[in-house]
Every structure is written in structure tokens, then in C-alpha cells.
Amino acid sequence: MPADEPLVLGIETSCDETGVGIVRGSTLLVDAVASSVDEHARFGGVVPEVASRAHLEAMVPTVQRACAQAGVALGDLDAVAVTAGPGLAGALMVGVASAKALALGLGVPLYGVNHLAAHVAVDALEHGPLPEPAVALLVSGGHSSLLRVDDVTAQVEPLGQTLDDAAGEAFDKVARLLGLGFPGGPLVDRAARDGDPAAIAFPRGLSTGRDLARHPYDFSFSGLKTAVARWVEQRRAAGEDVPVADVAASFQEAVVDVLTRKAVAACAEQGVGTLLVGGGVAANSRLRVLAEQRAAAAGVAVRVPRPGLCTDNGAMVAALGSLLLARGRRPSDLDLPADSSLPVTEVLV
Ligand code: KG4
Ligand code: ZN
């Protein structure tokens, strides 16, 4: 790692993770994360006010821990990057205000970046520069997007997105229905291992006929969620046991079938040879297997960062900040706003 490469600190507070990452060039030095997920568990979902408060409490200790673990002083930093959106408004504000204070105090440039582009940029820390153009499938509790990435620092176009629930949200709701707990994704994933993915034919949203023609790259999971709820309720009403493993496996198959089918079709139709999968749901074991299989059959290479880099973290923001600095992009102004609905086309605010 050349010591003359710029040292960039990234801050992520768009949801329930207070993430602080530090990179030197494209080398990850530290990825410190403080999560408030336990505080949300009893509500079965992230409570925005609780998340904002937790960010306030965690910010300074997490920055200090990151610097200590990386063996750097704040004064060594060459730039500060922060998620400016999209995300929870109050939560974003904590990160943006903290990043401004750091950048102003240290006299270094500030980059307010797009959370989705950061999910894409993080992969370079693990697998080297991302071949561009690439297609990115970003699936988490808050977003489900298919993107065309021609330049992760400047040119990102949405191909499709969910019209209702995010993929991770569907996992969380089905887990709740099955009494598995929160967050539901990993629990459904585990329960599904003992189940038959073909046991129950759950619907695949926007996957046939006119729906598919009108929404080739969009997703819809609310019909699936309702179908699972109805199936389970009918069983319970009849006094029968619910086969949790089979329901979990069949539901999971319906989600990842649609995600991988549309992502690989996008690559083929766009003439793109690389598919990047990111976001918390990218940790799903069946999604990884099916994405690999279908992409291989289409001659597409799949890149999936390790699970810790797929979920929200500060390293992804630092990675994008470092790329922006390297490609000479103009830093953000100090009156940078937090924008809860920042469009994906706006990589740098
Ligand atoms: O990226 P992330 O940490 O935060 C958001 O931006 O939402 O993603 C969290 C989401 C949750 O909905 C969680 O249930 C889901 O990712 N998730 C999974 C798995 N691990 C986490 N979903 C399916 N399978 C998994 N193994
Ligand atoms: Zn995310």
C-alpha cells in the first residue's frame, strides 16, 4: 500500500448502522460499525427516531475507534465522505453534520455521496476496480434496485426498482409472520435450508405477460407477501401445523428467482458482462448460488462483496469518496443538504 495514496474517512448513517470506514487509496484500513438493530427488534422494523438518537450517541466513539484501529490520527485525513441520501432524514442529518464538522475542522474536502453508488463502489476494495459498464442489483431492507453503472463516480442510471416493498422488507415481514424474529432475512435463510423450495408455488411479481413487458426490470413483493400470509392463515384456521421450513424455502425461492432472472436479463439485453450484487439481502445463500448459476449460463461474471461489506457500512462511503478524489471530482459545498430521496443519478451532491 503506497503511503502517499490519499487517506479518506467515510461516514454512513442512512438507516440503523453508524458506519465509519477508512481507506487509503483502494485499500481498506478499517470498517467500524455500531448498529442499533437490537433497539428496533421489539418494534419489528427500524424506528427512525430511535435510529437518529443512536447515531448521535455512537458517532464520536465510532470515529475514535476507527482511527485507533487504523492507526491514523484525524489530522492525517485527506478527505471526508458521507452518505447524503437516500435514507431516513433524521438519521442522514447526523452523519452529514458530523462530516461537515470534521471536514471544516481539518480543512479537507467533503464529498456528500449517494448511498446506492457507495454500495456499488465498495466492491473495488475487495475485488479490484469494477469493470464498467456493469449492472448492479442492490437489495436490502430499504431498497431493491437494478442499475446500469457506466461510471460509479458520475454515470449511474436506474433500470428498475421495486414498486412496493423492498426485498429485505419482504423477508422481514415473512419472518415475523412465521414467528422467526427480526431482522428476518438471515432467519428465513437458515429455516429455508431444511425446506423444499418447490413445496408451495408462490407468485412471482411482474414476471409474465403484460406485467413483464411493462416492467421488465421492476420488482413487486407485496403480492408475494400477501400470498404467504394467506397460505399460513388458512393452515392455522384449519388447525393444521405450518411447515415453516417449506414456507421459508418456497418464499425465498420466489424472491431470488425474480431478482436473479431480471438481473441476468438486464445484463444480456444491455450487453454488459459484469453483475454486481450488493445490499443486505446479497448475504442470502440461495441468491448467491442462483445468481452464479444463471449468470454463468449467460456468460456474465458475478461480483458479490463479503457479507460485512454488503450491509450498510462506512467503508463503502470511504471507497466512493476515494474514487471521487482520484478522478478529480469537485467536492461538495459546506452547505451540503441531507436528501432523504436523493435520486440514484446524483452520485455526488
Ligand atoms: O443493507 P442492510 O444492512 O440495510 C438496509 O439498507 O436495509 O440490509 C438489511 C436487510 C434486512 O431486511 C435483512 O433481513 C436482509 O437485509 N438480510 C437478508 C439476509 N441477511 C440480511 N435477507 C435475506 N437473506 C439473508 N441472509
Ligand atoms: Zn443500504
Side-chain angles (χ1 to χ4, degrees), residues 93-145:
M93 263 187 255
V94 178
V96 169
S98 307
K100 283 180 186 175
L102 272 175
L104 185 65
L106 298 170
V108 298
L110 170 70
Y111 294 94
V113 306
N114 191 297
H115 179 83
L116 297 177
H119 267 304
V120 176
V122 73
D123 184 66
L125 298 178
E126 197 178 356
H127 299 123
L130 180 73
E132 290 167 336
V135 165
L137 171 68
L138 299 182
V139 273
S140 75
H143 31 81
S144 303
S145 303

Side-chain angles (χ1 to χ4, degrees), residues 12 14-15 17 86 115-116 119 138-143 278-280 310-313 316:
E12 154 63 38
S14 69
C15 191
E17 264 98 25
H115 179 83
L116 297 177
H119 267 304
L138 299 182
V139 273
S140 75
H143 31 81
C310 279
T311 51
D312 291 349
N313 63 80
M316 67 192 216

Side-chain angles (χ1 to χ4, degrees), residues 21 32 178:
L178 295 174

Side-chain angles (χ1 to χ4, degrees), residues 164-165 170 173-174 177 202-203 220-234 251:
D164 38 61
D165 293 347
K173 286 176 178 170
V174 165
L177 187 77
F202 286 130
S220 167
F221 299 111
S222 80
L224 168 62
K225 178 193 67 193
T226 307
V228 175
R230 213 166 274 154
W231 196 92
V232 169
E233 277 157 19
Q234 276 169 6
F251 158 76

Side-chain angles (χ1 to χ4, degrees), residues 117 132 149 151-156 320 323-324 327 329 347-348:
E132 290 167 336
V149 181
D151 176 346
V152 73
T153 64
Q155 183 72 32
V156 179
L320 181 52
L323 277 176
L324 288 161
R327 295 191 193 173
R329 306 276 179 240
V347 171
L348 171 63

Side-chain angles (χ1 to χ4, degrees), residues 85-312:
L88 302 171
L92 287 168
M93 263 187 255
V94 178
V96 169
S98 307
K100 283 180 186 175
L102 272 175
L104 185 65
L106 298 170
V108 298
L110 170 70
Y111 294 94
V113 306
N114 191 297
H115 179 83
L116 297 177
H119 267 304
V120 176
V122 73
D123 184 66
L125 298 178
E126 197 178 356
H127 299 123
L130 180 73
E132 290 167 336
V135 165
L137 171 68
L138 299 182
V139 273
S140 75
H143 31 81
S144 303
S145 303
L146 210 45
L147 311 173
R148 181 186 164 102
V149 181
D150 285 282
D151 176 346
V152 73
T153 64
Q155 183 72 32
V156 179
E157 293 296 330
L159 298 173
Q161 62 197 333
T162 181
L163 303 186
D164 38 61
D165 293 347
E169 204 179 345
F171 270 95
D172 293 336
K173 286 176 178 170
V174 165
R176 186 146 124 188
L177 187 77
L178 295 174
L180 294 175
F182 174 84
L187 302 166
V188 171
D189 195 346
R190 198 170 315 145
R193 274 181 222 159
D194 303 320
D196 175 5
I200 310 154
F202 286 130
R204 271 73 167 152
L206 307 180
S207 288
T208 52
R210 195 143 39 111
D211 282 346
L212 177 62
R214 282 173 61 185
H215 298 281
Y217 303 136
D218 290 325
F219 307 108
S220 167
F221 299 111
S222 80
L224 168 62
K225 178 193 67 193
T226 307
V228 175
R230 213 166 274 154
W231 196 92
V232 169
E233 277 157 19
Q234 276 169 6
R235 276 288 178 118
R236 285 184 182 144
E240 295 170 34
D241 283 343
V242 175
V244 171
D246 282 348
V247 175
S250 300
F251 158 76
Q252 175 174 276
E253 194 67 14
V255 175
V256 306
D257 179 23
V258 177
L259 291 176
T260 55
R261 196 179 292 280
K262 292 200 174 201
V264 172
C267 292
E269 285 153 24
Q270 297 271 321
V272 168
T274 306
L275 171 64
L276 179 124
V277 187
V281 182
N284 185 267
S285 56
R286 181 66 184 145
L287 176 60
R288 286 174 175 247
V289 169
L290 204 55
E292 284 288 354
Q293 273 176 9
R294 289 184 169 165
V300 171
V302 181
R303 312 226 312 187
V304 191
R306 60 181 153 82
L309 294 180
C310 279
T311 51
D312 291 349

